[in-house]
CSV table of all heavy atoms in Angstrom, one decimal:
chain,number,residue,atom,x,y,z
C,816,ASP,N,-19.3,-96.3,-108.5
C,816,ASP,CA,-20.6,-97.0,-108.9
C,816,ASP,C,-20.6,-97.2,-110.4
C,816,ASP,O,-21.0,-98.3,-110.9
C,816,ASP,CB,-21.8,-96.2,-108.5
C,816,ASP,CG,-22.0,-96.2,-107.0
C,816,ASP,OD1,-21.5,-97.1,-106.3
C,816,ASP,OD2,-22.7,-95.2,-106.5
C,817,ARG,N,-20.2,-96.2,-111.1
C,817,ARG,CA,-20.2,-96.3,-112.6
C,817,ARG,C,-19.2,-97.3,-113.1
C,817,ARG,O,-19.5,-98.1,-114.0
C,817,ARG,CB,-19.9,-94.9,-113.2
C,817,ARG,CG,-21.0,-93.9,-113.0
C,817,ARG,CD,-20.6,-92.6,-113.7
C,817,ARG,NE,-21.5,-91.5,-113.2
C,817,ARG,CZ,-22.7,-91.3,-113.5
C,817,ARG,NH1,-23.3,-92.0,-114.4
C,817,ARG,NH2,-23.4,-90.3,-113.0
C,818,ALA,N,-18.1,-97.4,-112.4
C,818,ALA,CA,-17.0,-98.4,-112.7
C,818,ALA,C,-17.6,-99.8,-112.5
C,818,ALA,O,-17.3,-100.7,-113.3
C,818,ALA,CB,-15.8,-98.2,-112.0
C,819,VAL,N,-18.3,-100.0,-111.4
C,819,VAL,CA,-18.9,-101.3,-111.1
C,819,VAL,C,-19.9,-101.7,-112.1
C,819,VAL,O,-19.9,-102.8,-112.6
C,819,VAL,CB,-19.5,-101.3,-109.6
C,819,VAL,CG1,-20.3,-102.6,-109.4
C,819,VAL,CG2,-18.4,-101.2,-108.6
C,820,LEU,N,-20.7,-100.7,-112.5
C,820,LEU,CA,-21.7,-101.0,-113.5
C,820,LEU,C,-21.1,-101.4,-114.8
C,820,LEU,O,-21.5,-102.3,-115.5
C,820,LEU,CB,-22.6,-99.8,-113.7
C,820,LEU,CG,-23.6,-99.4,-112.6
C,820,LEU,CD1,-24.4,-98.2,-112.9
C,820,LEU,CD2,-24.6,-100.6,-112.4
C,821,ARG,N,-20.0,-100.7,-115.2
C,821,ARG,CA,-19.2,-101.1,-116.4
C,821,ARG,C,-18.7,-102.5,-116.3
C,821,ARG,O,-18.7,-103.3,-117.3
C,821,ARG,CB,-18.1,-100.1,-116.7
C,821,ARG,CG,-18.7,-98.8,-117.3
C,821,ARG,CD,-17.5,-97.9,-117.8
C,821,ARG,NE,-16.6,-97.5,-116.8
C,821,ARG,CZ,-16.7,-96.5,-116.0
C,821,ARG,NH1,-17.7,-95.7,-116.1
C,821,ARG,NH2,-15.7,-96.2,-115.1
C,822,ALA,N,-18.1,-102.9,-115.1
C,822,ALA,CA,-17.6,-104.2,-114.9
C,822,ALA,C,-18.7,-105.3,-115.0
C,822,ALA,O,-18.5,-106.3,-115.6
C,822,ALA,CB,-16.9,-104.3,-113.5
C,823,VAL,N,-19.9,-105.0,-114.5
C,823,VAL,CA,-21.1,-105.9,-114.6
C,823,VAL,C,-21.4,-106.0,-116.1
C,823,VAL,O,-21.6,-107.1,-116.6
C,823,VAL,CB,-22.3,-105.4,-113.8
C,823,VAL,CG1,-23.5,-106.2,-114.1
C,823,VAL,CG2,-21.9,-105.4,-112.3
C,824,ALA,N,-21.5,-104.9,-116.8
C,824,ALA,CA,-21.8,-104.9,-118.2
C,824,ALA,C,-20.8,-105.8,-119.0
C,824,ALA,O,-21.2,-106.4,-120.0
C,824,ALA,CB,-21.9,-103.5,-118.8
C,825,ASP,N,-19.6,-105.8,-118.6
C,825,ASP,CA,-18.5,-106.5,-119.3
C,825,ASP,C,-18.5,-108.0,-118.9
C,825,ASP,O,-17.7,-108.8,-119.4
C,825,ASP,CB,-17.1,-105.9,-119.0
C,825,ASP,CG,-16.9,-104.6,-119.6
C,825,ASP,OD1,-17.7,-104.2,-120.6
C,825,ASP,OD2,-16.0,-103.9,-119.2
C,826,GLY,N,-19.4,-108.4,-118.0
C,826,GLY,CA,-19.5,-109.8,-117.5
C,826,GLY,C,-18.4,-110.2,-116.6
C,826,GLY,O,-18.1,-111.4,-116.5
C,827,ARG,N,-17.8,-109.3,-115.8
C,827,ARG,CA,-16.7,-109.6,-114.9
C,827,ARG,C,-17.2,-109.8,-113.5
C,827,ARG,O,-16.3,-110.0,-112.6
C,827,ARG,CB,-15.7,-108.4,-115.0
C,827,ARG,CG,-15.1,-108.3,-116.4
C,827,ARG,CD,-14.2,-107.0,-116.5
C,827,ARG,NE,-13.4,-106.8,-115.3
C,827,ARG,CZ,-13.1,-105.6,-114.9
C,827,ARG,NH1,-13.6,-104.5,-115.5
C,827,ARG,NH2,-12.4,-105.4,-113.8
C,828,CYS,N,-18.5,-109.7,-113.2
C,828,CYS,CA,-19.0,-109.7,-111.8
C,828,CYS,C,-19.9,-110.9,-111.5
C,828,CYS,O,-20.6,-111.4,-112.4
C,828,CYS,CB,-19.7,-108.4,-111.5
C,828,CYS,SG,-18.6,-107.0,-111.7
C,829,GLU,N,-19.9,-111.3,-110.2
C,829,GLU,CA,-20.7,-112.3,-109.8
C,829,GLU,C,-21.2,-111.9,-108.4
C,829,GLU,O,-20.5,-111.3,-107.6
C,829,GLU,CB,-19.9,-113.6,-109.7
C,829,GLU,CG,-20.8,-114.8,-109.2
C,829,GLU,CD,-20.0,-116.1,-109.2
C,829,GLU,OE1,-18.9,-116.2,-109.9
C,829,GLU,OE2,-20.4,-117.0,-108.5
Side-chain angles (χ1 to χ4, degrees):
D816 291 336
R817 292 179 198 282
V819 170
L820 290 175
R821 285 190 299 272
V823 170
D825 290 342
R827 298 172 40 214
C828 299
E829 182 176 341

